[in-house]
Amino acid sequence: MKKTFSLQLASTLSLSLLAGCGGTPASTSSPNPPANNSTSQSGGTSQGTADKQYDGVELTMWSMWTSSEPQAQVIQEAAAAFEEQTGAKVTIEWKGRDINQVLSASLEAGDKFDIFEDDYQRIANVYADYTYDLTDMAKAVDYDSFSYPCLNNQVIAWTGHLNSIVEQPQVGGVFYDKDAFEKAGITAEPKTWDEFLDVCQKLKDSGVSPIAQDAAYCDFAFYHQLVRHLGEDKITELDTKGGWTGTAAETAAQEIIDLVKAGYFVDGAPDEFPSSENKIGFGMAAMIVCANYVTAEVNGNTGTEVNWGLFNYPAVENGVENTAAYAGANSLAITSYSENAQAAFDFIMLLTTGEFDQKMADTAKQIPADTRNTAPAILSGTVETLLSAEVPMTWCAGIHANDDLKTSIKSMCVELFEGKYATGKEFCEALDALY
């Protein structure tokens, strides 16, 4: 099935190339706009046979992975397949996780590379002037039909157009042990806060602590509660100016305090990372609020195979963002000055769809970029959660908006989960005292 799809994809891309499909410049103000958007600039179909439309084309990709990582193996295999199919040679330069430290200067200097990887927010907000507008190319392959609307729409909201293609999507929510749920007689994932509390009590009654919590993620966990009550814009306003007392932030904090008082957190929480999350692997806890990488971390750290599930953070009564989920991505972009933008886009499509995307998901234990593919068992529910999220939450952006208070507020979130505040109002008064 995967091989058949890959051949169909290659055929589709070939047809789009023969039809002369091309992109448009990132913006008229871009300091390095593409010199030419025609397919003749991108290898030209008249120079070779129909299945070697990019004979003589050379592409360079700057990767955020290192050559020893599983992602690198798949990228190299995709590059070899692309050369075999199209004649284009793709050279990969492994820059590692610190790629963002060199990208801005390299793009401004017009360094010769065609494709690069980084966080999709940086691509949209920091490098936008140096990226190619992929809107037309994406439409030609019906990209919207097999990608994640919440991520694409966010990019378009930031830039006015699509300037990146998702390679490694991420999602946050409540990851849980399905076996622990079954043992406790829980037959449905909770969607509301009251249902969540009922699940917590059933888990506690069954002999397992409901929630694991590491100190490193206390701000992320509390942010979910805040977003449900206030929304990200209001949180950013409060974080910048103060005025937490008397708002729904008091209710959000009180709900965390009530969880602590009810004994719903595993012993020792909030622990030092990764002690608390590991307790899920040891059968001591059942749930954790985190992003998808927690599944591989716990399994690897504990040598177990937790039967993982995921559900979106529960909605609260009178909430404002009850369908939001943390969503992020490492994505791929094309430099605005690439002379072979169409070839670069076609390679990106080969890498992020069909059999190579499935292999990336299976090998690197990540969420597939192609929604038609299947997530690894440890990431069960991630694709569905991403697809159902109407609003993407950022990683604590609201309570990280004030650089001067970021560290203090993070410490106070840890104290909240430690039970150091008697009421939500007391917590918010302490927050306001920082201003």
Side-chain angles (χ1 to χ4, degrees), residues 177-223:
D177 182 347
K178 289 182 177 180
D179 294 339
F181 269 45
E182 182 178 356
K183 179 182 176 183
I186 301 166
T187 58
E189 296 171 343
K191 298 185 183 306
T192 68
W193 190 246
D194 285 342
E195 291 173 356
F196 180 73
L197 294 177
D198 183 58
V199 163
C200 287
Q201 188 60 49
K202 287 180 177 177
L203 287 165
K204 185 178 179 182
D205 291 344
S206 74
V208 63
S209 295
I211 311 169
Q213 183 64 59
D214 284 306
Y217 298 130
C218 283
D219 53 346
F220 184 62
F222 181 51
Y223 193 61

Short mmCIF file of all heavy atoms in Angstrom, two decimals, residues 177-223:
data_model
loop_
_atom_site.label_atom_id
_atom_site.label_comp_id
_atom_site.label_asym_id
_atom_site.label_seq_id
_atom_site.Cartn_x
_atom_site.Cartn_y
_atom_site.Cartn_z
N ASP A 177 -2.06 6.21 30.49
CA ASP A 177 -1.87 4.76 30.38
C ASP A 177 -3.25 4.12 30.17
O ASP A 177 -4.08 4.09 31.07
CB ASP A 177 -1.21 4.24 31.66
CG ASP A 177 -0.92 2.76 31.64
OD1 ASP A 177 -1.44 2.05 30.75
OD2 ASP A 177 -0.20 2.29 32.53
N LYS A 178 -3.48 3.62 28.97
CA LYS A 178 -4.78 3.02 28.65
C LYS A 178 -5.08 1.82 29.56
O LYS A 178 -6.24 1.61 29.94
CB LYS A 178 -4.80 2.56 27.20
CG LYS A 178 -4.84 3.68 26.18
CD LYS A 178 -4.91 3.09 24.77
CE LYS A 178 -5.02 4.18 23.71
NZ LYS A 178 -5.09 3.59 22.35
N ASP A 179 -4.06 1.05 29.91
CA ASP A 179 -4.29 -0.12 30.77
C ASP A 179 -4.75 0.30 32.16
O ASP A 179 -5.60 -0.36 32.76
CB ASP A 179 -3.02 -0.96 30.87
CG ASP A 179 -2.64 -1.59 29.53
OD1 ASP A 179 -3.53 -1.71 28.66
OD2 ASP A 179 -1.45 -1.95 29.35
N ALA A 180 -4.19 1.41 32.67
CA ALA A 180 -4.62 1.91 33.98
C ALA A 180 -6.07 2.37 33.92
O ALA A 180 -6.85 2.15 34.87
CB ALA A 180 -3.72 3.05 34.43
N PHE A 181 -6.45 2.99 32.82
CA PHE A 181 -7.84 3.42 32.66
C PHE A 181 -8.77 2.21 32.65
O PHE A 181 -9.83 2.20 33.30
CB PHE A 181 -8.00 4.22 31.37
CG PHE A 181 -7.81 5.70 31.53
CD1 PHE A 181 -6.75 6.20 32.28
CD2 PHE A 181 -8.67 6.61 30.94
CE1 PHE A 181 -6.56 7.57 32.44
CE2 PHE A 181 -8.50 7.98 31.09
CZ PHE A 181 -7.44 8.45 31.83
N GLU A 182 -8.39 1.19 31.89
CA GLU A 182 -9.24 0.01 31.80
C GLU A 182 -9.39 -0.66 33.16
O GLU A 182 -10.50 -1.08 33.54
CB GLU A 182 -8.64 -0.97 30.78
CG GLU A 182 -9.48 -2.21 30.57
CD GLU A 182 -8.89 -3.14 29.53
OE1 GLU A 182 -7.87 -2.79 28.91
OE2 GLU A 182 -9.45 -4.25 29.34
N LYS A 183 -8.28 -0.76 33.90
CA LYS A 183 -8.32 -1.39 35.23
C LYS A 183 -9.25 -0.62 36.17
O LYS A 183 -9.93 -1.21 37.02
CB LYS A 183 -6.91 -1.45 35.81
CG LYS A 183 -6.84 -2.07 37.19
CD LYS A 183 -5.42 -2.04 37.72
CE LYS A 183 -5.36 -2.58 39.15
NZ LYS A 183 -3.97 -2.50 39.71
N ALA A 184 -9.30 0.70 36.00
CA ALA A 184 -10.14 1.53 36.87
C ALA A 184 -11.58 1.59 36.39
O ALA A 184 -12.42 2.26 37.01
CB ALA A 184 -9.56 2.94 36.94
N GLY A 185 -11.88 0.92 35.29
CA GLY A 185 -13.25 0.91 34.78
C GLY A 185 -13.63 2.16 34.02
O GLY A 185 -14.83 2.46 33.86
N ILE A 186 -12.64 2.88 33.51
CA ILE A 186 -12.90 4.11 32.74
C ILE A 186 -13.06 3.73 31.28
O ILE A 186 -12.14 3.18 30.66
CB ILE A 186 -11.75 5.11 32.92
CG1 ILE A 186 -11.58 5.46 34.40
CG2 ILE A 186 -12.00 6.37 32.08
CD1 ILE A 186 -10.28 6.17 34.72
N THR A 187 -14.21 4.03 30.72
CA THR A 187 -14.51 3.58 29.36
C THR A 187 -14.49 4.71 28.33
O THR A 187 -14.58 4.46 27.13
CB THR A 187 -15.89 2.92 29.32
OG1 THR A 187 -16.87 3.85 29.80
CG2 THR A 187 -15.91 1.67 30.19
N ALA A 188 -14.38 5.96 28.79
CA ALA A 188 -14.37 7.09 27.85
C ALA A 188 -13.40 8.16 28.33
O ALA A 188 -13.24 8.38 29.54
CB ALA A 188 -15.77 7.68 27.71
N GLU A 189 -12.73 8.79 27.39
CA GLU A 189 -11.83 9.89 27.74
C GLU A 189 -12.64 11.10 28.17
O GLU A 189 -13.66 11.43 27.56
CB GLU A 189 -10.96 10.25 26.52
CG GLU A 189 -10.03 9.12 26.08
CD GLU A 189 -9.35 9.42 24.76
OE1 GLU A 189 -9.84 10.34 24.04
OE2 GLU A 189 -8.36 8.75 24.42
N PRO A 190 -12.21 11.77 29.23
CA PRO A 190 -12.98 12.92 29.72
C PRO A 190 -12.88 14.13 28.79
O PRO A 190 -11.80 14.42 28.26
CB PRO A 190 -12.34 13.22 31.07
CG PRO A 190 -10.92 12.72 30.93
CD PRO A 190 -11.02 11.50 30.06
N LYS A 191 -13.97 14.83 28.61
CA LYS A 191 -13.99 16.02 27.77
C LYS A 191 -14.22 17.29 28.57
O LYS A 191 -13.90 18.39 28.12
CB LYS A 191 -15.07 15.89 26.69
CG LYS A 191 -14.85 14.71 25.74
CD LYS A 191 -15.87 14.71 24.61
CE LYS A 191 -15.71 13.50 23.70
NZ LYS A 191 -14.35 13.35 23.17
N THR A 192 -14.81 17.16 29.76
CA THR A 192 -15.06 18.33 30.61
C THR A 192 -14.28 18.18 31.91
O THR A 192 -13.81 17.09 32.26
CB THR A 192 -16.55 18.46 30.93
OG1 THR A 192 -16.95 17.36 31.77
CG2 THR A 192 -17.39 18.45 29.64
N TRP A 193 -14.20 19.29 32.66
CA TRP A 193 -13.46 19.25 33.92
C TRP A 193 -14.13 18.33 34.93
O TRP A 193 -13.45 17.59 35.64
CB TRP A 193 -13.34 20.67 34.49
CG TRP A 193 -12.39 20.74 35.65
CD1 TRP A 193 -12.69 21.02 36.94
CD2 TRP A 193 -10.97 20.50 35.61
NE1 TRP A 193 -11.57 20.97 37.73
CE2 TRP A 193 -10.49 20.67 36.92
CE3 TRP A 193 -10.08 20.18 34.61
CZ2 TRP A 193 -9.15 20.52 37.26
CZ3 TRP A 193 -8.73 20.03 34.93
CH2 TRP A 193 -8.29 20.19 36.23
N ASP A 194 -15.43 18.33 34.98
CA ASP A 194 -16.13 17.43 35.90
C ASP A 194 -15.86 15.97 35.55
O ASP A 194 -15.65 15.13 36.44
CB ASP A 194 -17.64 17.71 35.88
CG ASP A 194 -18.01 18.98 36.62
OD1 ASP A 194 -17.19 19.46 37.42
OD2 ASP A 194 -19.12 19.51 36.39
N GLU A 195 -15.87 15.66 34.26
CA GLU A 195 -15.55 14.29 33.83
C GLU A 195 -14.12 13.94 34.18
O GLU A 195 -13.82 12.79 34.57
CB GLU A 195 -15.78 14.15 32.33
CG GLU A 195 -17.25 14.21 31.92
CD GLU A 195 -17.44 14.24 30.42
OE1 GLU A 195 -16.43 14.28 29.68
OE2 GLU A 195 -18.60 14.22 29.97
N PHE A 196 -13.21 14.91 34.07
CA PHE A 196 -11.80 14.68 34.41
C PHE A 196 -11.66 14.36 35.90
O PHE A 196 -10.91 13.45 36.29
CB PHE A 196 -10.98 15.91 34.04
CG PHE A 196 -9.51 15.78 34.36
CD1 PHE A 196 -8.68 14.96 33.61
CD2 PHE A 196 -8.96 16.50 35.41
CE1 PHE A 196 -7.33 14.85 33.91
CE2 PHE A 196 -7.61 16.40 35.72
CZ PHE A 196 -6.79 15.57 34.96
N LEU A 197 -12.37 15.10 36.74
CA LEU A 197 -12.31 14.85 38.18
C LEU A 197 -12.86 13.46 38.51
O LEU A 197 -12.33 12.77 39.40
CB LEU A 197 -13.11 15.92 38.93
CG LEU A 197 -12.56 17.35 38.86
CD1 LEU A 197 -13.50 18.31 39.61
CD2 LEU A 197 -11.16 17.42 39.45
N ASP A 198 -13.89 13.04 37.80
CA ASP A 198 -14.45 11.70 38.00
C ASP A 198 -13.42 10.63 37.63
O ASP A 198 -13.28 9.63 38.34
CB ASP A 198 -15.71 11.54 37.15
CG ASP A 198 -16.38 10.20 37.38
OD1 ASP A 198 -16.74 9.90 38.53
OD2 ASP A 198 -16.56 9.46 36.39
N VAL A 199 -12.69 10.86 36.54
CA VAL A 199 -11.63 9.93 36.13
C VAL A 199 -10.54 9.87 37.20
O VAL A 199 -10.05 8.78 37.55
CB VAL A 199 -11.04 10.37 34.77
CG1 VAL A 199 -9.69 9.69 34.52
CG2 VAL A 199 -12.00 10.02 33.64
N CYS A 200 -10.16 11.03 37.72
CA CYS A 200 -9.13 11.06 38.77
C CYS A 200 -9.55 10.22 39.98
O CYS A 200 -8.74 9.45 40.53
CB CYS A 200 -8.85 12.50 39.20
SG CYS A 200 -7.94 13.49 38.01
N GLN A 201 -10.79 10.36 40.40
CA GLN A 201 -11.24 9.62 41.57
C GLN A 201 -11.28 8.12 41.30
O GLN A 201 -10.89 7.31 42.17
CB GLN A 201 -12.63 10.11 41.99
CG GLN A 201 -13.09 9.54 43.32
CD GLN A 201 -12.16 9.88 44.46
OE1 GLN A 201 -11.78 11.05 44.64
NE2 GLN A 201 -11.77 8.87 45.25
N LYS A 202 -11.71 7.72 40.10
CA LYS A 202 -11.74 6.30 39.77
C LYS A 202 -10.32 5.71 39.74
O LYS A 202 -10.11 4.58 40.19
CB LYS A 202 -12.43 6.09 38.43
CG LYS A 202 -13.94 6.28 38.47
CD LYS A 202 -14.58 6.07 37.10
CE LYS A 202 -16.10 6.19 37.17
NZ LYS A 202 -16.73 6.05 35.83
N LEU A 203 -9.38 6.46 39.23
CA LEU A 203 -7.99 5.99 39.21
C LEU A 203 -7.46 5.85 40.63
O LEU A 203 -6.82 4.84 40.98
CB LEU A 203 -7.11 6.95 38.41
CG LEU A 203 -7.30 6.92 36.89
CD1 LEU A 203 -6.65 8.14 36.26
CD2 LEU A 203 -6.71 5.65 36.30
N LYS A 204 -7.73 6.84 41.47
CA LYS A 204 -7.27 6.79 42.85
C LYS A 204 -7.89 5.60 43.59
O LYS A 204 -7.20 4.88 44.34
CB LYS A 204 -7.61 8.10 43.57
CG LYS A 204 -7.07 8.18 44.99
CD LYS A 204 -7.41 9.52 45.64
CE LYS A 204 -6.86 9.56 47.07
NZ LYS A 204 -7.22 10.85 47.74
N ASP A 205 -9.17 5.36 43.35
CA ASP A 205 -9.85 4.24 43.99
C ASP A 205 -9.29 2.89 43.54
O ASP A 205 -9.35 1.91 44.28
CB ASP A 205 -11.35 4.29 43.70
CG ASP A 205 -12.04 5.45 44.39
OD1 ASP A 205 -11.46 6.03 45.32
OD2 ASP A 205 -13.17 5.81 43.96
N SER A 206 -8.74 2.87 42.32
CA SER A 206 -8.20 1.61 41.79
C SER A 206 -6.80 1.32 42.30
O SER A 206 -6.24 0.25 42.04
CB SER A 206 -8.18 1.65 40.26
OG SER A 206 -7.15 2.50 39.78
N GLY A 207 -6.19 2.29 43.01
CA GLY A 207 -4.88 2.07 43.59
C GLY A 207 -3.73 2.71 42.85
O GLY A 207 -2.56 2.47 43.18
N VAL A 208 -4.01 3.55 41.85
CA VAL A 208 -2.96 4.23 41.11
C VAL A 208 -3.17 5.73 41.24
O VAL A 208 -4.30 6.22 41.24
CB VAL A 208 -2.95 3.81 39.62
CG1 VAL A 208 -4.24 4.22 38.93
CG2 VAL A 208 -1.75 4.40 38.89
N SER A 209 -2.07 6.49 41.39
CA SER A 209 -2.19 7.94 41.47
C SER A 209 -2.60 8.49 40.11
O SER A 209 -2.04 8.10 39.09
CB SER A 209 -0.86 8.55 41.90
OG SER A 209 -0.52 8.16 43.21
N PRO A 210 -3.54 9.41 40.08
CA PRO A 210 -4.04 9.88 38.78
C PRO A 210 -3.00 10.63 37.95
O PRO A 210 -2.88 10.38 36.74
CB PRO A 210 -5.20 10.81 39.17
CG PRO A 210 -5.65 10.29 40.49
CD PRO A 210 -4.40 9.85 41.20
N ILE A 211 -2.22 11.55 38.56
CA ILE A 211 -1.44 12.49 37.75
C ILE A 211 0.03 12.51 38.18
O ILE A 211 0.33 12.60 39.38
CB ILE A 211 -2.01 13.91 37.87
CG1 ILE A 211 -3.53 13.92 37.64
CG2 ILE A 211 -1.33 14.86 36.88
CD1 ILE A 211 -4.19 15.24 38.02
N ALA A 212 0.91 12.46 37.22
CA ALA A 212 2.34 12.70 37.44
C ALA A 212 2.65 14.15 37.08
O ALA A 212 2.02 14.71 36.17
CB ALA A 212 3.18 11.76 36.59
N GLN A 213 3.60 14.76 37.76
CA GLN A 213 3.94 16.16 37.47
C GLN A 213 5.40 16.44 37.83
O GLN A 213 5.78 16.35 38.99
CB GLN A 213 3.04 17.11 38.25
CG GLN A 213 3.28 18.59 37.95
CD GLN A 213 2.96 18.91 36.51
OE1 GLN A 213 1.85 18.72 36.04
NE2 GLN A 213 3.95 19.40 35.77
N ASP A 214 6.19 16.76 36.83
CA ASP A 214 7.57 17.19 37.07
C ASP A 214 7.64 18.71 37.17
O ASP A 214 6.88 19.42 36.49
CB ASP A 214 8.49 16.71 35.93
CG ASP A 214 8.80 15.23 36.05
OD1 ASP A 214 9.28 14.82 37.10
OD2 ASP A 214 8.56 14.50 35.07
N ALA A 215 8.55 19.21 37.98
CA ALA A 215 8.67 20.65 38.19
C ALA A 215 8.95 21.39 36.89
O ALA A 215 8.49 22.52 36.68
CB ALA A 215 9.77 20.93 39.21
N ALA A 216 9.69 20.75 35.99
CA ALA A 216 10.07 21.40 34.74
C ALA A 216 8.87 21.80 33.89
O ALA A 216 8.95 22.73 33.08
CB ALA A 216 10.98 20.48 33.93
N TYR A 217 7.74 21.11 34.09
CA TYR A 217 6.56 21.36 33.25
C TYR A 217 5.38 21.93 34.02
O TYR A 217 4.25 21.94 33.52
CB TYR A 217 6.13 20.06 32.56
CG TYR A 217 7.17 19.49 31.63
CD1 TYR A 217 7.55 18.15 31.71
CD2 TYR A 217 7.77 20.29 30.66
CE1 TYR A 217 8.50 17.63 30.85
CE2 TYR A 217 8.73 19.77 29.79
CZ TYR A 217 9.08 18.44 29.90
OH TYR A 217 10.03 17.93 29.04
N CYS A 218 5.63 22.44 35.23
CA CYS A 218 4.51 22.99 36.01
C CYS A 218 3.89 24.20 35.32
O CYS A 218 2.66 24.37 35.33
CB CYS A 218 4.98 23.37 37.41
SG CYS A 218 5.18 21.96 38.53
N ASP A 219 4.72 25.05 34.72
CA ASP A 219 4.16 26.21 34.03
C ASP A 219 3.34 25.77 32.81
O ASP A 219 2.29 26.34 32.51
CB ASP A 219 5.26 27.20 33.62
CG ASP A 219 6.39 26.56 32.83
OD1 ASP A 219 6.50 25.32 32.79
OD2 ASP A 219 7.20 27.32 32.24
N PHE A 220 3.80 24.73 32.11
CA PHE A 220 3.07 24.22 30.94
C PHE A 220 1.73 23.63 31.36
O PHE A 220 0.70 23.85 30.72
CB PHE A 220 3.92 23.17 30.24
CG PHE A 220 3.33 22.63 28.96
CD1 PHE A 220 3.09 23.46 27.88
CD2 PHE A 220 3.03 21.28 28.83
CE1 PHE A 220 2.55 22.98 26.70
CE2 PHE A 220 2.49 20.79 27.65
CZ PHE A 220 2.25 21.63 26.58
N ALA A 221 1.72 22.88 32.47
CA ALA A 221 0.48 22.26 32.95
C ALA A 221 -0.51 23.34 33.40
O ALA A 221 -1.70 23.29 33.06
CB ALA A 221 0.78 21.29 34.08
N PHE A 222 -0.03 24.31 34.18
CA PHE A 222 -0.93 25.36 34.65
C PHE A 222 -1.42 26.23 33.49
O PHE A 222 -2.56 26.71 33.49
CB PHE A 222 -0.25 26.23 35.71
CG PHE A 222 -1.14 27.31 36.26
CD1 PHE A 222 -2.41 27.03 36.74
CD2 PHE A 222 -0.71 28.64 36.29
CE1 PHE A 222 -3.23 28.02 37.23
CE2 PHE A 222 -1.53 29.63 36.78
CZ PHE A 222 -2.79 29.34 37.26
N TYR A 223 -0.58 26.40 32.48
CA TYR A 223 -0.96 27.21 31.32
C TYR A 223 -2.20 26.63 30.64
O TYR A 223 -3.06 27.36 30.16
CB TYR A 223 0.21 27.28 30.34
CG TYR A 223 0.04 28.33 29.26
CD1 TYR A 223 -0.09 29.67 29.60
CD2 TYR A 223 0.00 27.98 27.92
CE1 TYR A 223 -0.25 30.64 28.62
CE2 TYR A 223 -0.15 28.94 26.94
CZ TYR A 223 -0.27 30.27 27.29
OH TYR A 223 -0.43 31.23 26.32
#
